[in-house]
Amino acid sequence: MKERTSELQKLCTCNEVDMIQLQLKLQGCVSVQVNAGPLAYARAFLSDGKSSKYPSKKVNDLKEIFRKFVHACSIALNMNERLIKEDQIEYHEGLKSNFRDMVKELSDIIHEEF
């Protein structure tokens, strides 16, 4: 999760953003099929009844990683929206929809609003 977040942050802070790389990383983070990875981690370690099995510091650290991940995805989505051409609007809307779904499920799992 840290690595995905770091990769998105790097792409968003480059002087010249590589839109293709940005979209590939973004899709890899928010796609329904792919985000089973991040959501699987959240369910396994942060859901009700499971988080109490782990040290609270580790649980809090993981929650913070997810906060940063969601923030990085949000920034990347905003950047993508500024860079896309008209023929990619539908694709971008799909990314935004997937992001909203992922954030809602994460919020439900960890009982926090993002």
Side-chain angles (χ1 to χ4, degrees), residues 41-55:
Y41 283 121
R43 285 186 211 104
F45 298 108
L46 302 175
S47 63
D48 292 337
K50 299 209 176 157
S51 63
S52 61
K53 296 178 184 178
Y54 305 102

Side-chain angles (χ1 to χ4, degrees), residues 11-103:
L11 283 169
C12 291
T13 56
C14 290
N15 288 336
E16 291 196 28
V17 177
D18 182 337
M19 191 169 77
I20 293 171
Q21 283 299 314
L22 177 67
Q23 288 177 346
L24 287 172
K25 290 292 181 198
L26 195 51
Q27 184 174 3
C29 290
V30 303
S31 270
V32 175
Q33 298 84 2
V34 178
N35 76 22
L39 290 175
Y41 283 121
R43 285 186 211 104
F45 298 108
L46 302 175
S47 63
D48 292 337
K50 299 209 176 157
S51 63
S52 61
K53 296 178 184 178
Y54 305 102
S56 60
K57 174 155 180 28
K58 294 286 185 186
V59 169
N60 289 332
D61 288 348
L62 187 56
K63 285 182 179 182
E64 183 60 23
I65 290 168
F66 273 105
R67 287 183 202 105
K68 289 177 180 178
F69 174 72
V70 168
H71 182 71
C73 287
S74 178
I75 290 170
L77 273 171
N78 289 333
M79 180 166 285
N80 188 62
E81 187 169 33
R82 289 193 305 270
L83 296 173
I84 61 171
K85 306 250 187 288
E86 194 171 307
D87 65 336
Q88 291 186 310
I89 291 174
E90 189 175 330
Y91 171 76
H92 181 75
E93 290 302 318
L95 290 175
K96 283 184 4 184
S97 177
N98 289 340
F99 175 71
R100 283 190 299 269
D101 292 345
M102 181 188 71
V103 168

